[in-house]
Amino acid sequence: VFRSDVFGSVPAAEYDLIYWNLPYYDDPTPLLSRLFDAAPTYLSDAGSMVLGFNGKPLPVATLLDVLGRYPGLEVERVRSYWWNLHALVSIRKAST
């Protein structure tokens, strides 16, 4: 487990699982952009990145819109829960 500002404190390697609990910001786009830009370097070919976040300040559609700007990544699965506003989005390297 690494506590880091995006990947700033994470050793350069390929990981099978990256989990990020998205912080609450008025505009998370700059953080998401940094994450999505660097993620393909850190994900193994079979790896997944799971983002956990509150869907009220950050609607899933907004996250997916930002992700759409990064062709090296694709959505694996989106999970939302009826009993609260949290969501999980699983992302992997795009198939080539």
Side-chain angles (χ1 to χ4, degrees):
V1 175
F2 301 100
R3 182 177 180 192
S4 182
D5 176 15
V6 188
F7 289 107
S9 300
V10 177
E14 289 188 344
Y15 297 92
D16 293 328
L17 178 64
I18 298 170
Y19 179 82
W20 195 35
N21 185 23
L22 205 66
Y24 298 104
Y25 286 103
D26 290 334
D27 181 10
T29 303
L31 283 175
L32 290 172
S33 295
R34 288 175 51 207
L35 177 69
F36 295 155
D37 189 47
T41 303
Y42 287 88
L43 274 173
S44 69
D45 288 339
S48 293
M49 178 170 57
V50 179
L51 305 182
F53 59 97
N54 185 314
K56 185 172 184 177
L58 175 62
V60 171
T62 301
L63 183 138
L64 296 178
D65 179 58
V66 175
L67 178 62
R69 301 175 201 159
Y70 296 87
L73 299 170
E74 63 186 17
V75 173
E76 230 173 4
R77 185 171 180 188
V78 176
R79 299 177 193 152
S80 54
Y81 303 93
W82 61 268
W83 64 86
N84 67 26
L85 299 174
H86 284 80
L88 294 172
V89 175
S90 300
I91 299 166
R92 64 179 170 227
K93 284 185 178 180
S95 303
T96 53

